[in-house]
Amino acid sequence: MTAIARITLLSMVLGLSACAVQQPEPTRLPPIPPSGPSTKPPPSTVPSKPSTPVKPSKPMPRTSASFAPPPGGNSHWDAKLGVYVLDDQTNTFYRQRTYYRWNNGWSRSISPNGPWEETDIHGVPGGLGRKFGQ
């Protein structure tokens, strides 16, 4: 390649690269109107008609978005307690691969059928500790 061709090519590359780094012109936004006294009418003193009764809320979800349900067990998610409540076992709960049981004290297990080991209120999820506080 000749020296003139090299210089021409280099000049074109530098010239085009200068175009690529130019910042676009900032767009101008319309001015914000000055704030003044509100033109809203004063609140009405006429009593309103009685409201219609509130519709009952939709049923609570049977599952949690954060915790998987217990394997093979009938249960439902209790958002206040933060655990699954087993439907077929009294005061038995599940969360994160652990079952919790209240029977005048707390115990926990990896199976709903035991073996159960005793634990204190610090070994159970917070919602259970508040409901069945010792």
Side-chain angles (χ1 to χ4, degrees):
M1 196 183 271
T2 66
I4 294 176
R6 288 183 185 165
I7 292 173
T8 304
L9 183 60
L10 185 59
S11 298
M12 288 177 58
V13 169
L14 287 174
L16 290 175
S17 66
C19 293
V21 294
Q22 285 184 341
Q23 297 293 324
E25 191 74 27
T27 59
R28 302 280 178 179
L29 298 175
I32 299 173
S35 62
S38 175
T39 58
K40 289 194 316 186
S44 172
T45 57
V46 177
S48 63
K49 65 179 186 175
S51 62
T52 59
V54 177
K55 293 180 182 178
S57 62
K58 61 183 181 179
M60 295 298 288
R62 291 205 49 88
T63 61
S64 163
S66 302
F67 301 105
N74 293 331
S75 64
H76 65 276
W77 176 252
D78 187 322
K80 287 183 183 177
L81 298 177
V83 294
Y84 285 94
V85 178
L86 273 64
D87 296 333
D88 54 351
Q89 294 184 22
T90 306
N91 290 338
T92 304
F93 312 93
Y94 176 85
R95 188 167 95 180
Q96 293 181 314
R97 294 178 288 209
T98 305
Y99 292 86
Y100 302 95
R101 181 177 66 180
W102 172 258
N103 187 10
N104 294 324
W106 284 110
S107 55
R108 62 184 173 193
S109 175
I110 58 170
S111 167
N113 302 322
W116 295 93
E117 74 175 21
E118 289 187 27
T119 186
D120 62 5
I121 195 169
H122 302 290
V124 298
L128 291 176
R130 286 187 292 275
K131 181 175 179 178
F132 295 92
Q134 289 178 288

